[in-house]
Amino acid sequence: MSNFQFSRRALLKNGLTAGAVLAAPSVVRAQEVRELTMLTWAGHADPEVVGPFEQAHNVRIRAKEYVGGDQMLAQFAQSPVGTYDVILADAEYVSQLYQADYIEQLDPADYPFDDFFPEFQKFEGHWYDDRLYAVFLRFGFLGLSHNLDAISVSEARNYKAMWQENLRGKVGQFDWHLPNFGTMSLIEGNAAPFDLDAGAWQQVQDAALTLRPQVRGFYDYGGTLSALRSGEVAAIPGIGDWITGVLQRDGANVATTIPEQGGLQWTESLSIGKGSRNQDLAKEFIRYMMSPRGQVATATLKAYPAMVPTRAGWAMLNETNPNEAARQNMNLAGANALDEIRAGRIQLRRLPVQQSLESWNDAWVRYKNA
């Protein structure tokens, strides 16, 4: 409809007058570019990702980017109801969005859950009393990311490599408490790394302090990329292919290994913001992102790659970009990334169960200042 060009001759041919068109505001509005607002991590509104949707629906995506779940929650809380149509959030924060009544209930029939791998069909924290509030979009694993010139894959198969004397001052850390304390909890042998009683939580903090002399610094996203690429740091725990995948594209000699103690899974999901005035368009956007084309676009996101939860997404990626499908271990035949989950080697990154987020953040601040 947006490509239809009106002319006086066309109007007369169809028995219409200019006055009739003016009297039909729905015709005029159909030509207007609508706007869909999104609160998101960086990169998700890049033209390569949203361009086909914008063109198909005559819409412009306007994104507000954040860094970290706490910042996302604060941004939403400070904004008038209806400011954001779509929210892309780390899955562990969906529960807080739900509890704060920040997101709309969704109709499961609108989304291709039958095409999801079984592990992701009724994902933790997305459903409440069988009511859906978020749709699983993408995921990845967190382990030990390392510069292969300094640490081999065989060495990285044990987190204890970080304590080697030759790595003193050569370990970096991404500046966020959840992946770092979660990883340390795995090292300490906790099967549920975020569900810790007081004694286990103190043990995790004490163990972290033994690593502190090895740590060169604490980095944001850009700093993490730079430090690992340059060799300033040899290893960074609690991050994954969302960092090393970007570096590998540029030819860096880096990798992410899941050590024998296990790894964590990060997950990002899409919700519709409470009070959105464009809920129909927001639903269509989520449906687009769950389509094979949208799944391939998010899997190969320039800002940071990810695996996707749909069979059709895996199939299209293998067809259109088999090298990337193989690199991310999204193989259609034989062993693939899902085997790590099914073997119990991957635990979900969660919010603390027995402590508050504030207590973990305070402990992280103390740790950095130690």
Side-chain angles (χ1 to χ4, degrees):
M1 193 67 180
S2 62
N3 293 324
F4 189 82
Q5 299 298 315
F6 287 102
S7 69
R8 180 176 178 83
R9 178 176 296 178
L11 292 172
L12 292 173
K13 182 178 180 180
N14 286 283
L16 299 173
T17 67
V21 174
L22 292 175
S26 62
V27 175
V28 176
R29 283 198 298 270
Q31 310 310 306
E32 296 173 353
V33 177
R34 297 176 67 182
E35 186 173 83
L36 194 72
T37 55
M38 181 165 62
L39 186 60
T40 178
W41 279 95
H44 290 271
D46 287 352
E48 297 86 356
V49 181
V50 303
F53 177 82
E54 290 180 320
Q55 184 175 10
H57 292 271
N58 196 31
V59 62
R60 181 172 70 91
I61 306 291
R62 182 165 62 85
K64 172 69 174 179
E65 296 179 348
Y66 65 82
V67 178
D70 295 341
Q71 188 183 110
M72 178 272 296
L73 290 170
Q75 181 66 41
F76 199 94
Q78 295 164 9
S79 304
V81 174
T83 297
Y84 297 107
D85 300 309
V86 177
I87 305 171
L88 182 140
D90 292 295
E92 61 266 37
Y93 284 87
V94 171
S95 62
Q96 296 206 332
L97 290 169
Y98 166 76
Q99 291 164 11
D101 197 26
Y102 287 163
I103 49 180
E104 297 281 354
Q105 183 179 339
L106 307 177
D107 184 350
D110 290 332
Y111 309 101
F113 285 107
D114 287 347
D115 188 42
F116 279 42
F117 291 103
E119 290 82 0
F120 310 129
Q121 287 182 349
K122 206 156 188 179
F123 196 71
E124 176 181 300
H126 289 29
W127 301 75
Y128 293 89
D129 297 325
D130 285 328
R131 296 193 297 268
L132 177 68
Y133 288 87
V135 178
F136 186 122
L137 175 66
R138 64 205 306 263
F139 71 103
F141 299 154
L142 308 175
L144 185 60
S145 296
H146 51 108
N147 190 306
L148 287 162
D149 293 329
I151 302 179
S152 67
V153 171
S154 60
E155 290 176 304
R157 289 198 178 108
N158 193 317
Y159 287 113
K160 295 296 185 180
M162 294 187 295
W163 278 264
Q164 294 173 175
E165 182 59 33
N166 65 316
L167 292 189
R168 191 174 184 88
K170 296 290 289 183
V171 174
Q173 291 191 290
F174 184 62
D175 195 1
W176 187 15
H177 52 81
L178 281 184
N180 282 289
F181 284 141
T183 297
M184 192 60 63
S185 188
L186 287 175
I187 295 170
E188 289 300 295
N190 295 306
F194 298 92
D195 189 359
L196 308 173
D197 62 24
W201 169 226
Q202 187 60 55
Q203 186 178 16
V204 166
Q205 295 175 77
D206 292 343
L209 286 173
T210 68
L211 181 64
R212 187 66 181 85
Q214 304 291 94
V215 176
R216 183 180 183 87
F218 302 90
Y219 303 91
D220 59 12
Y221 170 72
T224 300
L225 288 170
S226 176
L228 201 55
R229 178 193 291 113
S230 68
E232 175 182 329
V233 300
I236 304 180
I239 61 170
D241 190 66
W242 69 278
I243 288 289
T244 53
V246 174
L247 294 174
Q248 286 171 1
R249 290 174 188 163
D250 295 334
N253 192 27
V254 298
T256 293
T257 299
I258 305 301
E260 61 188 33
Q261 297 94 333
L264 303 173
Q265 178 182 315
W266 63 268
T267 310
E268 291 174 342
S269 309
L270 292 169
S271 298
I272 296 178
K274 196 73 174 183
S276 164
R277 292 178 290 275
N278 297 297
Q279 292 191 37
D280 60 333
L281 198 56
K283 179 186 76 173
E284 289 303 318
F285 177 72
I286 298 176
R287 285 167 59 87
Y288 160 72
M289 292 306 303
M290 302 316 302
S291 71
R293 187 174 188 177
Q295 290 279 274
V296 169
T298 197
T300 57
L301 193 74
K302 286 184 178 178
Y304 56 112
M307 293 177 279
V308 293
T310 67
R311 295 180 179 89
W314 281 43
M316 180 173 277
L317 184 63
N318 274 270
E319 178 183 349
T320 60
N321 195 340
N323 290 337
E324 181 63 11
R327 195 194 66 77
Q328 291 205 52
N329 203 14
M330 286 189 280
N331 302 312
L332 292 171
N336 60 48
L338 298 181
D339 295 332
E340 298 274 20
I341 298 175
R342 293 165 181 168
R345 285 175 32 78
I346 303 296
Q347 305 299 320
L348 295 181
R349 191 181 66 198
R350 294 179 168 94
L351 299 183
V353 176
Q354 299 188 48
Q355 297 83 35
S356 67
L357 263 176
E358 289 76 15
S359 67
W360 276 46
N361 187 59
D362 290 346
W364 181 243
V365 172
R366 291 194 300 271
Y367 168 76
K368 291 197 297 181
N369 291 331

